[in-house]
Amino acid sequence: MSDEIKGISQTSAVANLCCNDLSNPLGVETTRPLLSWTMQSAERGACQTAYRVLVASSPEKLGRDEGDLWDSGKIESDRSTHVQYLGAPLKSRQAASWKIMVWDKDGTPSLWSEQARWEMGLLRKSDWKGYWINAGRYGGDPSPAPMLRTSFMLKQRVTGGRAYICGLGYYELYINGKRVGDEVLAPAFSRYDKTAYYQTWDVTNLLQVGENAIGVILGNGWYNAFTAEVWDFKQAPWRSQPKLKCQFHLNLEDGKERIIASGPEWKFTTGPIVFDGLRNGEVYDARLEKHGWCMPGYDDREWKSVEIIAAAGGALHSQQHTPIRVTATLKPASMKEVRPGVWVFDLGQNIAGWAQLRVSGAAGTEVTLRYAEKILENGDIDQSNINPFIKSGECQTDKYILKGYGEELWEPRFCYHGFQWIQLSGYPGTPTLDSISGRVVHTDFETRGEFSCSKEVLNSIQRCARWSTLGNYHGIPTDCPHREKNGWTGDASLSAEQVLLNFAPETAYRKWMRDFRDCQRDSGQLPGIVPTGGWGFNWGSGPAWDSAFILIPWYLYLYRGDLSVLSENYERIKLYVDYMTSMAVGNIVDFGLGDWCVPHEPSPERTCAAKITDTAYYYVDSLILAQMAELLCKTADAKKYRALAGRIRKSFWKHFVDLKTGQVAGARSQTALACALYQGLVDGDDATKVLATLVAEVEAQKRHHDCGILGCKYLLNCLSDYGRGDLAYAIASQTDYPSWGEWVMRGATTLWEDFKGATSRNHHMFSDISAWFYRALAGIKPDIRAPGFKNVIIQPNVVGDLTWVKAWHRSPYGRIESEWKTKGNEIHLRVVIPPNSCGEIHVPTRDASSVLIDGHAAAEGSGVRILPSDSLGQPVFAIEAGTYLFQCVAKL
Ligand code: BGC
């Protein structure tokens, strides 16, 4: 035994095994899944020099080191992310167990990792045995939520049971009285006539010998969005009555398989959910509950037979992204009776989700819950900022009708709302703070980073950004959780870097990119909201919004090192860039929206024309496309789009840049100036001139920004990139109008849609400031030369009255940390670079001789190399993985 252990690294181990960025996924669709892991080691310079993957058809075989599906052998490589499975072909429902071993820099192998697994989904159309079924003829009007059921006998124990299910718009699945899974609002919203998602569940432990019952409740969701509103989802081509397709594969003790599938023998009825409209709310009459309806032995003779109906139209794909869950329950901070019998509860936090009601009273009592994110002076709710686009039915209103016995606990299932305040009326008796709680509902992203600093207002902005991000992710990134719930592309593109630093959105983004492909017209044109039912091509889109389709895959590559997302979308991205070319006149594009929600009254002098931001995106998109082409070895394309980018740049110059005045488009617009700098349209001395004009404009506004959503992102980033982090910090930490801090002063718990606060109070489109906290203040930046944080750039700005900053981010290699504090004239910077990656540290001083590393004068050796100083004159060090303390005297 001890002999075997000899030669095994005691300092490194492997963990976090992921398949397609998910831990132990079921329903995998890709026949060459991508495997990732992280090396665990605190040792300085820890890195992987080789790996070996073993994949087996059973955990037992894997336990015996039999890689009957794949034994990669020892591969000399430092790659530990997105390694393609290259083993035996994988069949539908095939299970795979895998483990990994790595060799460290001395060539010493680690122990085998713990086992992980994945399981394939239904890969062929013919695997589907179930029919699409629903509850009879469709009249077009919303009907009560159908409940469907079937039952069957089992003579043997089930050794493995899987449910494959797609219930549109939303479904809840029950087996023998138990709810399957803890997800809500599933499956994900998609362009259902192109793609609908099924989910896979392990139901082994829910089945029993004897009679078994399966029950499903269906909600309307986006599939049957019947509410009249301005985005025309009522006219969506997919729109129809809720429907279900499912099948259950049961492996029995004798080795045989039994399939139970949706079909004509299923029955349906309706029950307590008498109304559910995603944009209106839900009405639940508890008197209509059907006791035991999804239990064996239930008498369903009164139920009707289902009908077999046409499919939703799209291909069925397996849902492989982070699901929506109830992630927290909030107790209200206060309550107030605003009129006799009408109470308003304040959650103290603007959230997306719903309320849970606790009530007892007489049967038939109707309790109403209305949700809002603003209140009137008298404390009553104010829905006026969120209801103008809802043209039929109520807005964010749930109703519960009591069954009349015991304490009744209820919450809606098939809709969600955006709110901080809940108005309660019709309540029998006097409610207490326990009568209502707030259920926080969103895509359940893992937290992947945190930022804090000595300036409290920035910490509040950071908290608001996180809440707005979560409140706006429900399978897709939305603009706001109340008024619209739409997948506005521009909003998501602007916030994506922040989302990638704070959370783990990659599987959700990857899915959203499929929605883009499903919505794109043959001409290449994209709508402003994705998914769309057809609305949004002629208003609300344009390069600044549509670029989400180029930038988000690119950010996934930059921050996560995922190349596959580029190849998956490449042809469609190219189609979009070609579409812009078809719209360009002399390389200038001018269509769709420009800077949005600016804080000043529109004036020609201070407004940035859309053609400036449009053409800049056209340039950046072409350049990114060229880089994608290079990465994917499409040499001719790379050449073509690089040349295109060059032509656009020249035209931009000719039309907009005036070097005599340092102005862009002759306007005093911060957005226009910052756009030219941020998008790389000027450089060298020219950039210095434009920067000087920009700085003068910011000073003229007393160090406030004067930008909408586009300009705000450009402005903070370009100022810190060009050495004016101090000015960016001044803008970011303002607390009077217009600023993020002013929202906080006015009690914001989320980011708002506009600086006045007149419209939505839960938008994330101004949230890139959170990314700026990480990138500019903590200084954590990805490096396009070594994407996915294979090389971590740490380039902090020690600015203003900040005395300390702390941030961490979990990269594909592990946890990066950057924290600094000032000590008199000294700066102490502590950084952690995870194993198998390296760092490039820009020490915030111009006095290179003052730099100490781990208490010693900076010198080469022990994992450190000295690099040429950066464009700001700061000393730069290349470091290996590990923890380092840099000290220096403050920059002069
Ligand atoms: C949405 C925005 C969106 C904008 C675009 C608004 O209604 O809420 O967030 O980006 O329209 O036009």
Side-chain angles (χ1 to χ4, degrees):
M1 182 74 188
S2 59
D3 264 7
E4 268 176 52
I5 292 179
K6 217 191 282 159
I8 286 177
S9 169
Q10 299 304 305
T11 49
S12 57
V14 203
N16 301 324
L17 275 66
C18 280
C19 170
N20 290 344
D21 294 319
L22 293 164
S23 145
N24 299 324
L26 300 178
V28 170
E29 276 194 324
T30 44
T31 47
R32 297 209 176 286
L34 302 176
L35 307 178
S36 310
W37 57 88
T38 57
M39 203 178 162
Q40 313 276 293
S41 169
E43 212 189 341
R44 191 164 279 194
C47 63
Q48 170 190 306
T49 54
Y51 66 83
R52 180 177 169 205
V53 185
L54 217 51
V55 187
S57 55
S58 75
E60 294 74 26
K61 284 194 179 141
L62 190 65
R64 296 192 298 266
D65 294 350
E66 285 170 40
D68 60 334
L69 292 177
W70 190 36
D71 180 349
S72 70
K74 182 177 174 184
I75 310 279
E76 310 277 346
S77 164
D78 63 351
R79 180 129 189 213
S80 58
T81 66
H82 305 111
V83 169
Q84 206 173 44
Y85 165 84
L86 293 174
L90 297 165
K91 302 188 298 274
S92 282
R93 300 188 6 85
Q94 167 111 49
S97 296
W98 67 290
K99 60 184 179 183
I100 172 97
M101 171 186 286
V102 300
W103 280 259
D104 67 14
K105 64 174 178 205
D106 305 320
T108 315
S110 68
L111 292 168
W112 280 115
S113 68
E114 304 257 300
Q115 290 197 13
R117 66 198 155 76
W118 81 81
E119 189 180 287
M120 303 304 286
L122 300 179
L123 302 182
R124 294 168 309 180
K125 248 190 179 167
S126 58
D127 294 327
W128 281 97
K129 309 292 178 220
Y131 291 91
W132 281 100
I133 57 174
N134 79 348
R137 300 262 171 259
Y138 182 40
D141 288 326
S143 334
M147 302 162 76
L148 301 92
R149 82 183 300 278
T150 194
S151 60
F152 57 95
M153 294 296 290
L154 280 178
K155 295 211 181 83
Q156 299 174 46
R157 224 168 43 82
V158 170
T159 54
R162 292 287 182 271
Y164 301 92
I165 176 166
C166 175
L168 300 176
Y170 297 136
Y171 74 92
E172 280 191 358
L173 168 65
Y174 294 81
I175 295 180
N176 295 332
K178 294 224 173 67
R179 172 90 206 276
V180 177
D182 59 356
E183 297 184 17
V184 296
L185 305 176
F189 175 25
S190 59
R191 172 109 209 187
Y192 303 105
D193 53 345
K194 299 280 178 65
T195 304
Y197 287 96
Y198 74 88
Q199 294 189 284
T200 308
W201 296 102
D202 180 351
V203 295
T204 315
N205 297 328
L206 297 173
L207 295 156
Q208 62 192 22
V209 174
E211 189 184 342
N212 289 272
I214 298 173
V216 177
I217 316 176
L218 296 176
N220 291 306
W222 289 97
Y223 186 58
N224 187 25
F226 52 79
T227 312
E229 32 76 336
V230 301
W231 312 280
D232 295 342
F233 280 99
K234 195 173 175 176
Q235 277 79 47
W238 62 70
R239 201 183 138 217
S240 180
Q241 190 177 11
K243 53 185 67 165
L244 169 70
K245 181 168 177 139
C246 62
Q247 66 196 43
F248 299 79
H249 286 244
L250 313 180
N251 297 333
L252 303 173
E253 247 176 335
D254 64 4
K256 296 215 174 84
E257 186 188 70
R258 180 156 169 206
I259 297 179
I260 310 288
S262 50
E265 66 288 358
W266 283 54
K267 292 184 136 189
F268 85 93
T269 189
T270 57
I273 303 178
V274 294
F275 178 91
D276 63 287
L278 187 61
R279 296 187 185 282
N280 298 127
E282 197 161 310
V283 182
Y284 189 94
D285 187 343
R287 295 171 302 180
L288 304 178
E289 283 176 354
K290 304 266 186 275
H291 292 285
W293 70 281
C294 53
M295 297 284 282
Y298 180 79
D299 181 359
D300 64 9
R301 275 174 302 178
E302 301 274 284
W303 292 39
K304 297 197 187 98
S305 291
V306 296
E307 291 194 14
I308 309 288
I309 37 131
L316 269 181
H317 281 288
S318 176
Q319 184 161 319
Q320 291 288 287
H321 59 273
T322 312
I324 306 175
R325 293 196 179 93
V326 176
T327 61
T329 302
L330 305 183
K331 253 195 102 143
S334 64
M335 60 182 277
K336 182 178 172 193
E337 189 170 12
V338 293
R339 277 178 282 134
V342 179
W343 282 269
V344 172
F345 290 75
D346 178 6
L347 285 183
Q349 174 63 52
N350 198 349
I351 66 167
W354 52 70
Q356 190 181 58
L357 171 71
R358 192 181 290 275
V359 62
S360 14
T365 310
E366 185 175 302
V367 176
T368 302
L369 300 157
R370 283 198 179 80
Y371 302 79
E373 56 165 15
K374 267 180 149 179
I375 46 168
L376 301 165
E377 254 176 33
N378 69 356
D380 204 353
I381 60 159
D382 176 6
Q383 289 190 329
S384 63
N385 67 323
I386 55 174
N387 67 12
F389 297 142
I390 309 298
K391 304 291 185 199
S392 69
E394 298 190 74
C395 168
Q396 301 213 132
T397 302
D398 298 332
K399 292 185 180 153
Y400 180 75
I401 301 162
L402 275 73
K403 58 189 158 199
Y405 49 88
E407 187 178 72
E408 301 179 38
L409 196 64
W410 176 78
E411 58 194 290
R413 312 164 146 86
F414 294 139
C415 61
Y416 74 95
H417 313 300
F419 61 102
Q420 174 169 344
W421 285 274
I422 304 139
Q423 184 206 63
L424 175 69
S425 59
Y427 191 87
T430 309
T432 67
L433 280 178
D434 289 328
S435 308
I436 291 285
S437 44
R439 304 275 272 167
V440 180
V441 180
H442 51 79
T443 294
D444 190 10
F445 292 133
E446 171 200 330
T447 285
R448 195 175 264 151
E450 278 174 328
F451 168 88
S452 57
C453 68
S454 58
K455 188 86 169 172
E456 210 31 60
V457 69
L458 299 195
N459 297 335
S460 301
I461 296 169
Q462 166 69 2
R463 265 195 301 277
C464 290
R466 289 179 71 99
W467 274 103
S468 276
T469 301
L470 295 175
N472 277 299
Y473 221 113
H474 295 88
I476 56 162
T478 64
D479 59 334
C480 53
H482 29 59
R483 186 187 72 209
E484 298 199 24
K485 301 179 168 63
N486 285 319
W488 278 104
T489 56
D491 305 36
S493 155
L494 292 165
S495 69
E497 289 186 88
Q498 166 274 110
V499 184
L500 278 155
L501 285 162
N502 283 301
F503 301 106
E506 55 274 9
T507 56
Y509 278 155
R510 184 189 280 263
K511 178 265 173 192
W512 198 44
M513 292 303 112
R514 193 205 298 259
D515 296 336
F516 271 78
R517 301 197 297 275
D518 284 352
C519 290
Q520 189 178 32
R521 285 182 168 164
D522 290 347
S523 64
Q525 193 186 7
L526 289 166
I529 57 172
V530 172
T532 178
W535 184 89
F537 285 96
N538 296 321
W539 190 89
S541 51
W545 267 245
D546 310 341
S547 289
F549 191 37
I550 292 109
L551 294 176
I552 291 181
W554 189 242
Y555 294 146
L556 283 168
Y557 173 67
L558 180 61
Y559 284 84
R560 307 302 300 168
D562 183 3
L563 200 62
S564 70
V565 74
L566 303 186
S567 48
E568 222 162 78
N569 294 290
Y570 180 80
E571 289 302 329
R572 295 309 196 90
I573 289 174
K574 191 166 124 181
L575 191 63
Y576 180 71
V577 172
D578 291 347
Y579 172 71
M580 283 193 285
T581 301
S582 78
M583 297 286 286
V585 179
N587 299 313
I588 301 297
V589 285
D590 188 6
F591 64 98
L593 301 175
D595 204 10
W596 189 248
C597 293
V598 290
H600 55 263
E601 294 304 320
S603 73
E605 236 212 337
R606 289 165 71 188
T607 299
C608 175
K611 61 185 172 189
I612 296 172
T613 45
D614 277 1
T615 305
Y617 279 111
Y618 181 32
Y619 166 68
V620 167
D621 292 348
S622 307
L623 204 57
I624 290 178
L625 179 58
Q627 292 175 79
M628 288 179 183
E630 269 150 29
L631 289 162
L632 300 172
C633 303
K634 296 174 191 288
T635 329
D637 277 4
K639 221 171 132 196
K640 174 176 159 188
Y641 291 103
R642 213 169 260 288
L644 172 64
R647 289 197 300 275
I648 301 169
R649 200 168 192 271
K650 266 205 193 115
S651 301
F652 186 95
W653 264 75
K654 198 170 113 205
H655 284 84
F656 305 130
V657 183
D658 178 350
L659 283 181
K660 276 195 239 89
T661 58
Q663 285 186 348
V664 174
R668 292 178 45 204
S669 156
Q670 291 183 9
T671 298
L673 294 158
C675 174
L677 289 164
Y678 174 78
Q679 305 284 39
L681 286 151
V682 286
D683 50 24
D685 291 347
D686 309 335
T688 313
K689 279 190 194 145
V690 174
L691 179 70
T693 317
L694 176 61
V695 167
E697 285 308 323
V698 174
E699 294 292 355
Q701 301 299 323
K702 301 198 172 58
R703 305 191 144 207
H704 287 76
H705 77 78
D706 188 21
C707 304
I709 54 175
L710 306 181
C712 275
K713 175 159 178 144
Y714 312 153
L715 181 66
L716 295 185
N717 285 299
C718 79
L719 286 176
S720 46
D721 285 349
Y722 278 95
R724 290 307 309 267
D726 59 324
L727 194 53
Y729 172 72
I731 296 167
S733 51
Q734 293 293 4
T735 53
D736 58 349
Y737 187 85
S739 66
W740 293 264
E742 202 245 358
W743 289 338
V744 171
M745 294 301 138
R746 290 169 65 188
T749 57
T750 39
L751 302 181
W752 295 358
E753 182 176 13
D754 69 295
F755 285 95
K756 293 214 167 79
T759 50
S760 149
R761 297 200 160 182
N762 198 355
H763 256 63
H764 59 107
M765 60 192 190
F766 280 108
S767 66
D768 185 66
I769 188 167
S770 167
W772 182 82
F773 294 158
Y774 285 89
R775 293 167 54 110
L777 297 185
I780 301 174
K781 294 180 185 178
D783 179 354
I784 194 61
R785 298 162 303 176
F789 289 104
K790 183 75 174 144
N791 186 40
V792 185
I793 297 176
I794 306 268
Q795 190 175 18
N797 280 274
V798 177
V799 281
D801 55 355
L802 274 181
T803 54
W804 61 267
V805 162
K806 236 185 208 183
W808 63 268
H809 168 71
R810 193 156 29 251
S811 83
Y813 301 92
R815 188 175 158 113
I816 299 166
E817 293 178 33
S818 167
E819 54 180 273
W820 57 259
K821 55 178 186 238
T822 55
K823 253 192 165 181
N825 194 29
E826 274 182 21
I827 298 163
H828 291 201
L829 167 67
R830 183 181 162 275
V831 302
V832 179
I833 302 297
N836 205 25
S837 63
C838 51
E840 181 183 299
I841 315 301
H842 298 238
V843 181
T845 181
R846 286 211 186 88
D847 181 359
S849 67
S850 74
V851 179
L852 303 182
I853 303 179
D854 299 326
H856 305 288
E860 302 237 340
S862 2
V864 177
R865 269 184 313 117
I866 300 176
L867 299 178
S869 51
D870 65 15
S871 60
L872 308 177
Q874 303 178 133
V876 184
F877 301 89
I879 59 172
E880 295 175 351
T883 303
Y884 299 78
L885 179 66
F886 292 86
Q887 284 161 266
C888 63
V889 297
K891 185 175 352 197
L892 298 171

